[in-house]
């Protein structure tokens, strides 16, 4: 099997991990890495035995696939250049700085018949993969994504930085379009929105309450999904899936023998529900994401997080941000209808 020639543009904190994954995969050759900081590029290239570059244009036409892990405002320019040069593109989230830019990327990938995958990493979280078959006909979903304050990432607001992960998961789970929303938020330690809450109503009636904060004292990433016959608690950080269902009732059922049980076990046995809890290994979601991307490049699998998915998440995220800032999201809503 011919090796896929790959590169990574932007090898800061996250991009360095991308480069490490490509370098270790047997069906892939890491042709080079790019960073505007020459010292960073040289250091990472030396670590991974590849070639450093400071200008991504030097790699156009020389690679089959590329990860773009640069600041969001540069995604469109770099992504378009590689797509037009015939490369498949994995771009970190958010897909672009604006809906118009995201639409240009989606159109270019379609025109060039190239893979465009967006780095919504939670899709590859093992607990989400396990829960996905159970997430049918949700009625209400609650999402909480909390993190302590860090300077890194504060060039964008918390909706585009953190909440967009849950927006993507919600739109995957529910499937329908967002038909109405309400949102509130505020800056706390930065000049951008640092904490936000949105209430989204989807076509079909499902309602989601989403909170994202980067000014919390703890780290938490949880989803709670309520269906007509079950409640799912999904701990994305600890990788724990809890499914609570109503117990089947039967008039012929024999009374429970509780004589040998302790107080806690007796209380649990008397509840009219059945509780199942599963824990999963931490795994390597980034490796799974890149392997999925390369499989799609080879034509061996579908694109799990397409450019269209990234556009949809960005459209909703921008609408929430505009609602928080008190502006009607006319541009985002209009773009969403065209997509």
């Amino acid at each position: 099997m011919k090796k896929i020639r790959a590169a990574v543009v932007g090898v800061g904190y996250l991009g360095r991990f991308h480069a490490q994954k490509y370098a270790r995969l047997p069906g892939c050759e890491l042709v080079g890495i790019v960073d505007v900081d020459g010292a960073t590029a040289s250091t990472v290239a030396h670590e991974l035995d590849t070639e450093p570059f400071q200008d991504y244009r030097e790699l156009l036409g020389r690679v089959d696939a590329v990860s773009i892990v640069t600041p969001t405002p540069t995604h469109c320019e770099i992504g378009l250049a590689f797509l037009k040069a015939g490369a498949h593109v994995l771009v970190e989230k958010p897909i672009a700085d604006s809906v118009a830019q995201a639409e240009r990327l989606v159109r270019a990938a379609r025109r060039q018949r190239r893979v465009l995958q967006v780095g919504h990493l939670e899709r590859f979280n093992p607990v989400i993969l396990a829960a996905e078959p159970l997430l049918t006909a949700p009625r209400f979903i609650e999402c909480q994504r909390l993190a302590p304050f860090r300077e890194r990432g504060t060039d964008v607001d918390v909706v585009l930085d953190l909440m967009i992960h849950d927006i993507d998961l919600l739109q995957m789970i529910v499937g329908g379009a967002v038909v109405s929303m309400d949102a509130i938020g505020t800056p706390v330690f930065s000049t951008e929105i640092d904490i936000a809450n949105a209430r989204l109503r989807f076509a079909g009636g499902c309602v989601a309450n989403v909170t994202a904060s980067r000014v919390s004292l703890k780290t938490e990433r949880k989803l709670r999904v309520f269906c007509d016959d079950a409640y799912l608690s999904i701990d994305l950080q600890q990788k724990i899936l809890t499914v609570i269902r109503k117990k089947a009732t039967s008039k012929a059922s024999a009374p429970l023998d509780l004589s040998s049980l302790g107080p806690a076990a007796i209380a649990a046995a008397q509840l009219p529900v059945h509780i199942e809890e599963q824990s999963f290994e931490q795994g390597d979601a980034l490796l799974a994401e890149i392997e999925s991307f390369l499989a799609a490049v080879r034509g061996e699998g579908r694109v799990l997080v397409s450019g269209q998915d990234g556009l949809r998440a960005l459209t909703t995220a921008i609408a929430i941000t505009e609602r928080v800032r008190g502006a009607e999201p006319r541009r985002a809503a209009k773009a969403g209808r065209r997509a």
Side-chain angles (χ1 to χ4, degrees), residues 157-158 183-197 212-215 324-325:
D157 63 65
V158 74
I184 191 169
T186 188
V188 180
F189 297 144
S190 77
T191 57
E192 296 287 349
I193 301 163
D194 289 322
I195 183 168
N197 173 267
S213 168
R214 58 187 183 194
V215 289
V324 169
R325 290 174 176 162

Side-chain angles (χ1 to χ4, degrees), residues 95 120 204:
I95 182 174
H120 286 288

